[in-house]
Amino acid sequence: MATIAPHNSEMKKSFQPDDNQLSLLQRHSLFAAMPDNLVLNFNNAAQKVTRPKGSVLFLQDDPSEWFYLILSGWVKLFRETVDGSEAVLDMLTIGHVFGETAILDGNTHSVSGAVAEEAVMLRFPASMLRQAIAQHHDVALAMLASLSRQRKQQTQEIESLSMQNASQRIGCFMLRLCKLSDIAPYEMTLPYDKSLIAGRLGMQCETFSRALNKLRKETNITVKGAHVTIPDINRLAEYTCSCCSNEFPCKDLH
Amino acid sequence: MATIAPHNSEMKKSFQPDDNQLSLLQRHSLFAAMPDNLVLNFNNAAQKVTRPKGSVLFLQDDPSEWFYLILSGWVKLFRETVDGSEAVLDMLTIGHVFGETAILDGNTHSVSGAVAEEAVMLRFPASMLRQAIAQHHDVALAMLASLSRQRKQQTQEIESLSMQNASQRIGCFMLRLCKLSDIAPYEMTLPYDKSLIAGRLGMQCETFSRALNKLRKETNITVKGAHVTIPDINRLAEYTCSCCSNEFPCKDLH
């Protein structure tokens, strides 16, 4: 899945995990705004960490110590409800930065973060970023641009949760993974467990199964394990996007 | 409703619409971060506008010309879906600023804005704020703080839409309007039309009616027109907040 450019990745070009670390940072919108010597400082302070599936990186209300840039794997941001259920608030992969917004929020994480598929990450001291934003106007502007993109993505997500039914949300998830350069029928592999996809789309596993069955019947897609075949992408888009303010293909992806 | 302190109001103290305009600005977190002469410039450039219910202020994809501070009334931010339905993305009232984030987003509004209940507003040229952020580090930091609050509120909303059922979302809406200084039974007036509340909570009107009936049975509240009586707030909170990561009362309100 190294070629996925997920919703809020901020790499100027796609990158491979074995790229030179400094050049990686220089191509990320957050670090690219920094003076050269500051990028070098972040590069020197970076620690490469590998964590297995299930590792908890931080919990909601923890003090902010590190923020992370993902080199490979998947990380979920989540919260636990009073009755013990898990609300999956975001799923992040290569090129995503996370944990950085805690520095704007009383230096406390407002969500929990855990590894969903074994992840290699660079981690940086949160205090360095806090200081960089306070001292450098350009870094504050880069952070502002990043938050603005995140805000827009969250607005889209609120719209989707409000307006689309469960089958349409699954269809939307698939459409956003399609590479339009592919030749029909479109083939794709779901990027992580169906139970996580269900959580990410705000539904229980049973709801997900029922909604996926309905989507199959309505749009003729086939799903075998993690493998999805879409014989007619326009039919899927027609079914999925009628309850969305964006027409297919989504403007934020292309 | 002048005493409501809504979710993302950024006034340092509550205010009345007839307060001195300059002192209003000086107490708002966005303007308070500006040098005095810049606040004066904004004060001089401000235009007081009164718009009746239904007035459209801007449409999604419109170029950004003004941003607004609400002095009285209600404004809804919304999007229209491909099939013509309306997704209500936010409802804003006294003390809220809106339309300001377009300057971070290619100077284009990513949502539409319309008056939901007759509104008196101050409007300011968007270009002034764009320039202030580019020239003054402090203003960029204030905008960053504001976006961070909005991001946190949107995260909470995504959690709520993902995890709470329709009755719980209505209960949550009511609980967030309760002033805890009141003596039981808690009495409140719904702040705007039930159809708008339904839209704001991501449900159809029929779903809203069914969910409200269920909430009545589960928690003994009574609803007559816009008037709500809550005989036992703990019972309502127990029912509503079990599927939320926050316990009652919500930390962001108190």
Side-chain angles (χ1 to χ4, degrees):
Chain A
M1 302 302 299
T3 53
I4 279 188
H7 50 74
N8 61 347
S9 178
E10 300 192 354
M11 291 303 295
K12 295 192 170 175
K13 291 180 189 171
S14 63
F15 72 96
Q16 300 300 322
D18 53 357
D19 272 0
N20 172 285
Q21 182 176 302
L22 179 60
S23 95
L24 271 185
L25 298 192
Q26 286 164 335
R27 274 154 46 209
H28 193 283
S29 56
L30 183 60
F31 299 98
M34 298 179 182
D36 289 347
N37 62 336
L38 193 55
V39 186
L40 279 175
N41 288 350
F42 272 96
N43 187 50
N44 292 335
Q47 297 177 3
K48 195 168 184 171
V49 291
T50 303
R51 293 286 180 270
K53 182 172 178 166
S55 302
V56 174
L57 301 168
F58 49 82
L59 290 174
Q60 185 178 2
D61 297 328
D62 273 358
S64 148
E65 193 175 358
W66 307 98
F67 72 98
Y68 299 80
L69 169 62
I70 305 178
L71 302 183
S72 70
W74 284 88
V75 169
K76 72 174 170 187
L77 303 183
F78 66 102
R79 282 188 183 155
E80 199 167 307
T81 64
V82 170
D83 69 1
S85 303
E86 190 179 86
V88 181
L89 298 164
D90 215 343
M91 290 292 295
L92 306 172
T93 187
I94 302 176
H96 282 110
V97 162
F98 66 96
E100 85 289 15
T101 51
I103 61 168
L104 302 170
D105 200 16
N107 298 316
T108 302
H109 288 292
S110 62
V111 298
S112 304
V115 175
E117 298 290 345
E118 180 174 282
V120 182
M121 299 160 286
L122 293 179
R123 70 176 190 187
F124 308 86
S127 57
M128 270 186 82
L129 183 60
R130 194 165 54 244
Q131 207 172 13
I133 289 171
Q135 290 178 349
H136 299 275
H137 191 177
D138 283 349
V139 181
L141 292 178
M143 189 77 179
L144 205 44
S146 169
L147 273 197
S148 170
R149 283 187 289 270
Q150 291 180 31
R151 182 183 191 281
K152 201 170 169 184
Q153 181 228 322
Q154 286 192 312
T155 302
Q156 186 56 46
E157 191 152 343
I158 290 168
E159 184 199 311
S160 170
L161 284 164
S162 300
M163 305 303 285
Q164 291 185 310
N165 64 34
S167 302
Q168 289 170 326
R169 292 212 295 283
I170 298 173
C172 179
F173 182 84
M174 291 174 175
L175 283 174
R176 289 176 67 85
L177 290 173
C178 283
K179 292 181 235 109
L180 290 185
S181 53
D182 290 352
I183 298 163
Y186 294 86
E187 310 270 348
M188 75 169 69
T189 306
L190 296 175
Y192 40 85
D193 287 354
K194 282 182 190 161
S195 61
L196 265 177
I197 298 177
R200 178 72 190 93
L201 299 177
M203 53 187 98
Q204 303 290 326
C205 287
E206 313 81 66
T207 311
F208 181 84
S209 295
R210 279 196 304 272
L212 184 57
N213 275 336
K214 190 178 165 202
L215 185 67
R216 276 189 183 119
K217 284 180 200 150
E218 297 279 353
T219 66
N220 274 348
I221 63 166
T222 56
V223 183
K224 284 184 186 162
H227 189 78
V228 180
T229 307
I230 303 171
D232 182 350
I233 204 161
N234 289 325
R235 184 166 171 183
L236 177 59
E238 200 173 318
Y239 177 76
T240 295
C241 308
S242 63
C243 290
C244 180
S245 64
N246 278 312
E247 288 181 34
F248 180 77
C250 298
K251 278 181 283 187
D252 63 328
L253 288 183
H254 301 283
Chain B
M1 301 303 300
T3 54
I4 280 188
H7 49 75
N8 61 347
S9 179
E10 300 192 352
M11 292 302 296
K12 295 193 168 173
K13 292 178 189 172
S14 63
F15 71 97
Q16 301 300 322
D18 53 358
D19 271 1
N20 173 286
Q21 182 176 302
L22 178 60
S23 95
L24 272 184
L25 298 192
Q26 286 165 333
R27 274 153 48 209
H28 193 284
S29 57
L30 183 60
F31 299 98
M34 298 178 182
D36 288 347
N37 63 337
L38 192 55
V39 185
L40 278 175
N41 289 350
F42 272 96
N43 188 51
N44 292 336
Q47 296 177 2
K48 195 168 184 170
V49 291
T50 303
R51 294 285 180 270
K53 182 174 178 166
S55 302
V56 173
L57 301 168
F58 49 82
L59 290 173
Q60 184 178 1
D61 297 327
D62 274 357
S64 149
E65 193 175 359
W66 307 98
F67 71 99
Y68 299 81
L69 169 61
I70 305 178
L71 302 183
S72 70
W74 285 89
V75 169
K76 72 174 169 186
L77 303 183
F78 66 102
R79 282 189 185 157
E80 199 167 307
T81 64
V82 171
D83 69 1
S85 303
E86 191 180 84
V88 181
L89 298 164
D90 215 343
M91 291 291 296
L92 307 172
T93 187
I94 303 176
H96 283 112
V97 162
F98 66 96
E100 85 289 15
T101 51
I103 62 169
L104 301 170
D105 200 17
N107 299 314
T108 302
H109 289 291
S110 62
V111 298
S112 304
V115 175
E117 298 290 345
E118 179 174 281
V120 182
M121 299 161 286
L122 293 178
R123 69 176 191 186
F124 308 87
S127 57
M128 270 186 81
L129 184 60
R130 193 165 55 243
Q131 206 172 14
I133 289 170
Q135 290 178 347
H136 299 275
H137 191 178
D138 283 349
V139 181
L141 293 177
M143 189 78 180
L144 205 44
S146 169
L147 273 197
S148 171
R149 283 188 288 270
Q150 291 180 32
R151 181 183 191 282
K152 202 170 171 187
Q153 181 228 320
Q154 285 192 312
T155 302
Q156 186 56 46
E157 192 153 341
I158 290 168
E159 183 198 314
S160 170
L161 283 164
S162 300
M163 304 303 284
Q164 291 185 311
N165 66 32
S167 301
Q168 288 170 326
R169 291 211 296 282
I170 298 173
C172 179
F173 181 84
M174 291 174 175
L175 283 173
R176 289 176 67 87
L177 290 173
C178 282
K179 292 180 234 112
L180 290 185
S181 53
D182 291 351
I183 298 164
Y186 294 86
E187 309 271 349
M188 76 169 68
T189 305
L190 296 174
Y192 41 83
D193 288 354
K194 283 182 189 159
S195 61
L196 265 177
I197 299 177
R200 178 73 190 91
L201 299 176
M203 52 186 98
Q204 303 289 326
C205 288
E206 312 81 66
T207 312
F208 181 83
S209 296
R210 279 196 302 272
L212 184 57
N213 275 336
K214 188 177 166 202
L215 185 67
R216 276 190 183 118
K217 283 180 200 149
E218 297 279 354
T219 66
N220 274 349
I221 63 165
T222 56
V223 184
K224 284 184 185 159
H227 189 77
V228 180
T229 306
I230 303 170
D232 182 349
I233 204 161
N234 290 325
R235 183 165 171 183
L236 178 59
E238 201 173 317
Y239 177 77
T240 295
C241 307
S242 63
C243 290
C244 180
S245 65
N246 278 311
E247 287 180 33
F248 179 77
C250 298
K251 279 181 279 185
D252 63 328
L253 288 182
H254 301 283

